[in-house]
Amino acid sequence: MAPLHAQPVRPVLSCRDVEKLYGTRDNVTRALDGVSLDVAAGEYVAIMGPSGSGKTTLLNCISTIDRPTSGHIYVDGQDITALRPGQLSRFRRERLGFVFQDSNLLDTLTARENIALALTINRAPAREVPARVTGVAQRLGVADVLDKFPHEMSGGQKQRVAAARAIVTDPSLVLADEPTGALDSRNSRLLLESLEDLNNAGATIIMVTHDSFAASYARRALFLKDGRVWNELVRGTKTRKTFFNEIMDVVSFLGGEGADVR
Amino acid sequence: MYAKIALGNVRKSFRDFAVFFLTLAFGVCVFYAFGSITDQAAVIQMGEDQRSMVQALADILSGLSVFVVVILGFLVVYANRFLIRRRKREFGIYLTLGMDIRRVSLIVVIETLVVGVVALAVGLLLGLALSQVMMYVTAGLFEATIKGFVFAFSPTAALSTVACFAGIFLVTLVFNVSTVSRYKLIDLINADKVSEKVRLRSLPLSVVLFLASLALIGVAYKVLLEHGMMEEGPYFAIATGLVTVGTLLFFFSISGFALRALQATPRAYLSGLNMFVMRQLNSRINTAWLSISLVCAMLFLAICGVCTGFSVATGMNESLRVGTVYDMSLVSYPMGMVVQDAAPYEQDGPAAADGYDAIARLRADIPNYDELFRDAVQVNQYTYDADGNPIVDTTVEQLFANTDFTGNATVQTMMQGNTDQRLTVVPVSEYNALARMAGEKPVELAAGECLLWNDLSSLDELWDAVTAQNPEVEVGGQTLRFAEDPLVHLVFSDTAAGGTVSGALVVPDDMVPAGAGPSVTAVNLMYNGERTEVEPAAVAAIDEAYGDVMGQGSTLDAWPAWIATTAQGLLDQSSGTTVVVTYLAIYIGVVLLVCCATVLALQQLSEAADNVGRYRVLSELGAEKRMIDHALLAQIGVYFLFPLVVAVAHAAVALSVVNDIVALLTGFQIGTALVGTVAFVVALYGGYFLVTYLTSRGMLSRA
């Protein structure tokens, strides 16, 4: 099935025929095999797929942590595959926000400082920093743990602080890599609701996950298989529950036992 | 099986072990090289004087070794502790796999043993190489020669090295086993997760402690500068105590203080990576403050030791150059040595029988006098007239009492201790004869005028003040004025000590009462020919004539030579002393400096490994490489710079006091040595800093 490109608004992210090859000439692994997709401003996209489908490689290419072998990736119309190493830091700093599976907070800094650091690295004026930090912390429900150190917080709180750090700079794109991977179901739900709120407030989010429940919070779900975009589901006006069931169908068809049976 | 695990561990975490290994090997190497100095010297062809110097050096070094072993022991235990702490998680895994704690200890013991034995062997080999190099350097310093290639091995030094390090090693082992067996599984498993808590939380408290530490250090400086090191009383101990407590407090509170202070200025705190750097520093200073204080103390000792050592050595050479004007000096006390007003001179010694003419006596006693000496001048200092009354009525006590002297503390202390001395007089004609022989300008003295003779340059300031504030002195019932430019500095007799006369009045010849005998007589002689050629014969002649009375028995009988000094003899001796002092300074200085630098480098490298994750997060947040490098540089720089700055400040104050003493003894100012010392410290310490920074940066960028 061909990917859908009919987006009503200008795309924040466009991938065009992105390929990523690993290994030597004799033994090539095709991690990404011509992926093309668009993400519009304000979208919330979940990228799903079984292990080895290339979803993390795709995210690494989008986040400039890795470079595609061929193809182009545009963020806000700028070709990031053509950026020099010096420009990459600036691109990451200004356009991207990251949320990782392990929150990746700095253990020597308090929550407040962890969030503020994203701003100070971005050279935000010092007088704006405290208000922006408090504002985003309130939106994510972590205002009361701002002066705690990461080891004094629960896993869920850490992930939400990480989310706050990711969006405090108003990035064009928030990239989340298995953000609920290390959380229990209650904390997962809290984080996912927070991300949904952020999306409702205008943030563009791309989330890589193998968890159908997490993906059901997105507005659109893309399925990767063997390095290609294999299927796409759009939530539209459906309830989250219905969307979840649809995703489950695809997942069981795509991977897991379903695939084995086939 | 446990040995296999242990060996595997050593191979795997080679970098961590490398630091421990290098520290141990370095200690062994230095310890052996300096311990073997006697055996090194055995193969050098040198004079008897120099050999006794080397023996003296060896004795001092073996005394010092106790101190060095303690320092090195600390270093080894410290390096080892780092190693153990970094591997908490690994031990945790062993325990969860069901290994019991004694087995884990066994693994640690085997590991330490393997690394230790190899380090000992490598260290000894390096030590052999270093001692071989030192042997040639020693020979060079003594201007002696080594015939052909000689290999010197010192079994005693090797044995004592092995013994000492086996001891250090045992302590390390006991320490390791006790540390490991006290671990709780839960702490081990969580070791990586829990970062240190900030111990000092409140801003007011850290500010108060910080200010208190500054105050303590300030008071200590003031006490030391005002009272010096020589003054009686508890001042020196008080200053030392205050500065120790102050320094500890300083390092304890500085990071908390700096953090809170910076937080109070958001413009700085919320800029770039400043916040991150401050937190990095603060997160570790809680455990680091003690070791930083220790590093500071060791740096202080190193700077003071090297600086004092070099300045004493240089000072001695300098005062030798100034003090060896005549080829030979004979000093005698024709009326006995110990003289007080109450017990006047004896006037019936051999000197009186000769009419106090020492040169005539020399001519009579030495058959080949004219062959040996081309010129001689006798200078006499008179204290009492023929009836035993003091010639100078004004006493030293009066002069000092009437002088307002605000110079350095050490000289002031000396002023107070020397007031029962009498001023002496020297006839101006004798002074001028000596000046002519030395090639200096003679002085002219009008009637009623006098001059003050002082060849101790460090006391010029004092005598300047005295003569300026006491323009007149009473001599033999008359009043004499100090001439314009009242101080003369001619060397009284050959000396290595910077001067031998301080406070003699040069007066018109008729002011010396008839019939008075001199209390001090110096005959300064010039050889008839090259100094080195005539020296042996001249010394032999003097020995032959006066060997039986010189320096023994009654001073009264030792006429005309109680002490015989030759310029060549002083110069020979000093080359030995220079070697001794230079070696001591380098030994202590290098050991301490390397020790400090290693401790800091260890800390930083070990932290760098922990920091890889943190710096990766910074990079993901979009911090540029340059920004990250700056943060790393700041972090490591602070650790290296702070103890150095504090140590230099302490050393500057302490040395300014030591300087007074050294200057008094040798007339040499430490400032000259300070430049060399600082260059030495900066090169060694800075090198360590650079290596640490570059290695850490490499670790981060490779990750």
Side-chain angles (χ1 to χ4, degrees):
Chain A
M1 175 172 179
L4 302 174
H5 295 306
Q7 297 301 329
V9 241
R10 70 178 170 84
V12 170
L13 170 76
S14 324
C15 297
R16 288 288 167 271
D17 303 320
V18 175
E19 284 193 339
K20 179 72 189 178
L21 309 178
Y22 289 113
T24 57
R25 205 184 311 163
D26 304 327
N27 184 18
V28 179
T29 309
R30 213 169 268 269
L32 292 178
D33 189 8
V35 172
S36 294
L37 61 89
D38 288 282
V39 175
E43 259 204 299
Y44 186 174
V45 179
I47 298 178
M48 296 199 66
S51 304
S53 61
K55 55 187 191 305
T56 299
T57 305
L58 178 62
L59 194 77
N60 283 345
C61 287
I62 296 172
S63 63
T64 69
I65 289 171
D66 206 347
R67 247 173 213 281
T69 313
S70 67
H72 296 276
I73 300 173
Y74 302 90
V75 173
D76 284 343
Q78 185 179 22
D79 186 355
I80 61 170
T81 56
L83 287 179
R84 280 178 286 110
Q87 298 170 310
L88 287 179
S89 306
R90 189 190 168 119
F91 166 77
R92 279 207 284 272
R93 190 164 76 216
E94 290 175 355
R95 302 287 170 80
L96 299 185
F98 290 100
V99 184
F100 297 93
Q101 178 170 357
D102 50 342
S103 60
N104 251 350
L105 295 177
L106 290 165
D107 55 344
T108 48
L109 269 59
T110 62
R112 185 191 302 282
E113 289 165 343
N114 263 296
I115 301 171
L117 191 63
L119 286 172
T120 63
I121 287 177
N122 238 323
R123 303 194 174 86
R127 60 188 138 65
E128 286 179 16
V129 172
R132 284 174 73 174
V133 171
T134 335
V136 77
Q138 268 160 2
R139 276 164 66 190
L140 285 159
V142 285
D144 51 332
V145 295
L146 274 181
D147 289 313
K148 287 189 175 169
F149 286 94
H151 67 90
E152 298 169 315
M153 295 184 245
S154 72
Q157 285 168 336
K158 278 194 254 190
Q159 270 312 44
R160 276 178 283 145
V161 171
R165 180 178 68 181
I167 61 155
V168 71
T169 52
D170 288 328
S172 311
L173 209 51
V174 175
L175 302 174
D177 188 3
E178 304 277 11
T180 59
L183 299 182
D184 60 34
S185 59
R186 185 177 156 273
N187 274 309
S188 291
R189 194 173 303 130
L190 275 174
L191 178 69
L192 290 166
E193 279 163 9
S194 300
L195 290 176
E196 197 172 31
D197 288 346
L198 291 178
N199 175 243
N200 289 338
T204 311
I205 302 174
I206 297 178
M207 174 170 69
V208 164
T209 183
H210 65 266
D211 177 6
S212 310
F213 176 73
S216 69
Y217 278 82
R219 311 303 305 174
R220 182 153 71 104
L222 282 169
F223 295 88
L224 291 190
K225 187 178 187 305
D226 300 332
R228 295 164 182 271
V229 178
W230 184 80
N231 197 357
E232 184 182 54
L233 291 177
V234 179
R235 180 163 152 193
T237 53
K238 284 167 271 194
T239 62
R240 198 184 58 69
K241 187 98 183 153
T242 324
F243 193 43
F244 173 71
N245 289 332
E246 282 183 32
I247 292 171
M248 280 304 283
D249 289 343
V250 178
V251 166
S252 50
F253 186 69
L254 188 66
E257 297 104 301
D260 287 10
V261 171
R262 228 158 46 109
Chain B
M1 174 205 157
Y2 296 109
K4 204 171 150 194
I5 294 183
L7 285 173
N9 283 340
V10 175
R11 251 204 313 276
K12 264 180 291 179
S13 38
F14 191 76
R15 202 184 54 215
D16 291 339
F17 277 100
V19 174
F20 176 63
F21 175 84
L22 286 178
T23 311
L24 206 57
F26 161 78
V28 172
C29 168
V30 171
F31 195 80
Y32 170 80
F34 279 88
S36 64
I37 211 152
T38 330
D39 293 275
Q40 293 168 31
V43 298
I44 306 176
Q45 293 170 337
M46 52 166 73
E48 213 40 53
D49 266 9
Q50 294 176 327
R51 204 164 288 288
S52 67
M53 270 308 193
V54 169
Q55 195 47 53
L57 173 64
D59 290 346
I60 303 174
L61 280 176
S62 68
L64 262 179
S65 288
V66 178
F67 171 71
V68 171
V69 163
V70 170
I71 294 271
L72 289 176
F74 158 78
L75 192 62
V76 170
V77 170
Y78 186 83
N80 169 69
R81 194 179 69 125
F82 248 97
L83 197 55
I84 293 291
R85 274 174 34 150
R86 284 187 51 71
R87 301 173 49 211
K88 273 187 176 179
R89 241 185 107 81
E90 182 188 324
F91 297 145
I93 291 171
Y94 292 147
L95 291 183
T96 38
L97 290 177
M99 201 181 276
D100 86 55
I101 200 114
R102 258 174 307 153
R103 300 284 157 80
V104 176
S105 298
L106 184 68
I107 291 179
V108 174
V109 167
I110 296 173
E111 281 173 18
T112 320
L113 217 62
V114 168
V115 177
V117 168
V118 176
L120 197 62
V122 172
L124 272 178
L125 279 177
L126 290 175
L128 265 175
L130 181 62
S131 77
Q132 203 67 16
V133 172
M134 268 174 64
M135 192 169 79
Y136 286 95
V137 174
T138 314
L141 285 172
F142 277 121
E143 286 152 16
T145 49
I146 300 173
K147 280 209 173 136
F149 179 81
V150 189
F151 184 76
F153 174 72
S154 164
T156 33
L159 217 66
S160 70
T161 308
V162 172
C164 282
F165 280 85
I168 289 179
F169 217 54
L170 210 67
V171 174
T172 315
L173 259 185
V174 170
F175 186 88
N176 279 358
V177 171
S178 80
T179 312
V180 170
S181 49
R182 263 187 290 119
Y183 280 147
K184 291 196 193 73
L185 184 51
I186 179 74
D187 297 333
L188 294 177
I189 295 295
N190 288 332
D192 290 353
K193 293 181 188 156
V194 182
S195 85
E196 292 170 23
K197 293 208 173 61
V198 181
R199 211 176 288 172
L200 241 167
R201 283 203 171 271
S202 89
L203 174 62
L205 184 62
S206 49
V207 170
V208 166
L209 283 182
F210 182 70
L211 293 179
S213 76
L214 289 186
L216 282 175
I217 293 172
V219 170
Y221 283 1
K222 196 164 176 295
V223 168
L224 195 62
L225 287 177
E226 272 178 7
H227 295 279
M229 242 173 236
M230 310 261 273
E231 191 170 324
E232 298 264 327
Y235 298 108
F236 184 59
I238 288 177
T240 311
L242 285 180
V243 87
T244 307
V245 175
T247 306
L248 285 172
L249 216 54
F250 178 84
F251 286 116
F252 181 71
S253 61
I254 174 82
S255 87
F257 172 77
L259 178 69
R260 301 295 148 145
L262 199 62
Q263 279 177 341
T265 48
R267 189 176 287 276
Y269 194 64
L270 297 176
S271 158
L273 295 179
N274 288 355
M275 179 166 61
F276 172 74
V277 172
M278 279 314 293
R279 279 295 189 187
Q280 281 288 87
L281 291 174
N282 203 51
S283 74
R284 283 175 302 159
I285 203 88
N286 286 335
T287 49
W289 69 274
L290 201 59
S291 58
I292 296 265
S293 303
L294 213 84
V295 164
C296 177
M298 290 195 290
L299 278 178
F300 168 76
L301 284 179
I303 294 171
C304 286
V306 173
C307 212
T308 312
F310 279 132
S311 59
V312 166
T314 327
M316 279 190 329
N317 286 340
E318 177 64 14
S319 58
L320 261 181
R321 199 182 57 75
V322 174
T324 50
V325 177
Y326 321 110
D327 288 337
M328 181 186 275
S329 294
L330 305 173
V331 177
S332 57
Y333 304 91
M335 314 198 77
M337 174 84 95
V338 184
V339 176
Q340 291 168 329
D341 288 3
Y345 289 86
E346 298 179 60
Q347 302 190 6
D348 50 0
D354 284 349
Y356 304 111
D357 190 342
I359 296 180
R361 171 56 41 209
L362 287 171
R363 282 181 180 281
D365 290 341
I366 301 172
N368 54 345
Y369 177 89
D370 282 315
E371 217 175 281
L372 294 171
F373 306 108
R374 66 175 162 82
D375 204 354
V377 172
Q378 176 178 359
V379 181
N380 299 305
Q381 290 187 42
Y382 298 89
T383 316
Y384 299 96
D385 66 13
D387 303 323
N389 298 315
I391 298 170
V392 183
D393 302 314
T394 313
T395 62
V396 176
E397 197 171 0
Q398 284 168 347
L399 285 178
F400 284 172
N402 291 332
T403 303
D404 186 20
F405 178 63
T406 51
N408 70 58
T410 314
V411 170
Q412 284 187 20
T413 314
M414 232 187 64
M415 259 172 85
Q416 286 156 14
N418 280 331
T419 49
D420 57 344
Q421 261 188 357
R422 281 274 167 196
L423 288 174
T424 59
V425 294
V426 175
V428 68
S429 62
E430 289 179 7
Y431 175 86
N432 281 339
L434 190 62
R436 268 183 225 106
M437 188 171 81
E440 305 269 327
K441 231 177 79 185
V443 295
E444 281 179 35
L445 215 52
E449 275 189 341
C450 67
L451 294 164
L452 195 128
W453 194 352
N454 170 46
D455 60 3
L456 266 169
S457 60
S458 54
L459 291 180
D460 278 354
E461 244 178 70
L462 172 69
W463 288 115
D464 270 334
V466 167
T467 51
Q469 294 173 39
N470 303 272
E472 295 180 340
V473 282
E474 298 289 318
V475 179
Q478 293 187 42
T479 304
L480 293 183
R481 276 177 296 105
F482 282 116
E484 203 177 320
D485 227 352
L487 261 51
V488 288
H489 306 104
L490 188 62
V491 174
F492 182 72
S493 64
D494 277 350
T495 176
T500 46
V501 62
S502 191
L505 297 175
V506 178
V507 297
D509 288 8
D510 57 7
M511 292 303 299
V512 180
S519 49
V520 184
T521 293
V523 183
N524 291 311
L525 300 130
M526 297 306 239
Y527 292 155
N528 200 4
E530 275 296 304
R531 187 182 271 175
T532 44
E533 283 166 26
V534 185
E535 171 92 4
V539 171
I542 295 291
D543 260 2
E544 169 75 22
Y546 308 112
D548 52 339
V549 290
M550 265 199 302
Q552 47 197 309
S554 152
T555 33
L556 193 67
D557 299 327
W559 166 260
W562 171 253
I563 307 162
T565 323
T566 69
Q568 192 56 45
L570 289 176
L571 292 171
D572 281 352
Q573 245 179 35
S574 85
S575 78
T577 321
T578 312
V579 173
V580 172
V581 175
T582 310
Y583 267 33
L584 285 181
I586 291 177
Y587 183 41
I588 302 176
V590 167
V591 166
L592 288 176
L593 259 184
V594 168
C595 189
C596 295
T598 311
V599 167
L600 290 173
L602 268 176
Q603 278 187 340
Q604 292 310 307
L605 287 178
S606 146
E607 290 304 327
D610 293 345
N611 283 340
V612 167
R614 295 182 187 143
Y615 280 96
R616 191 187 301 129
V617 172
L618 291 185
S619 168
E620 279 161 1
L621 288 176
E624 289 145 13
K625 176 132 180 51
R626 214 165 49 89
M627 216 173 182
I628 292 176
D629 286 349
H630 279 181
L632 186 67
L633 188 67
Q635 200 181 323
I636 296 176
V638 163
Y639 266 80
F640 272 81
L641 202 62
F642 261 66
L644 184 65
V645 166
V646 175
V648 166
H650 287 359
V653 173
L655 284 176
S656 83
V657 177
V658 173
N659 184 31
D660 297 344
I661 299 172
V662 172
L664 210 59
L665 295 177
T666 66
F668 177 74
Q669 303 290 325
I670 262 176
T672 326
L674 196 65
V675 180
T677 309
V678 166
F680 172 71
V681 168
V682 165
L684 197 61
Y685 196 73
Y688 259 92
F689 169 63
L690 208 66
V691 168
T692 310
Y693 170 65
L694 292 177
T695 314
S696 306
R697 205 178 66 173
M699 280 162 82
L700 293 186
S701 56
R702 237 179 292 126

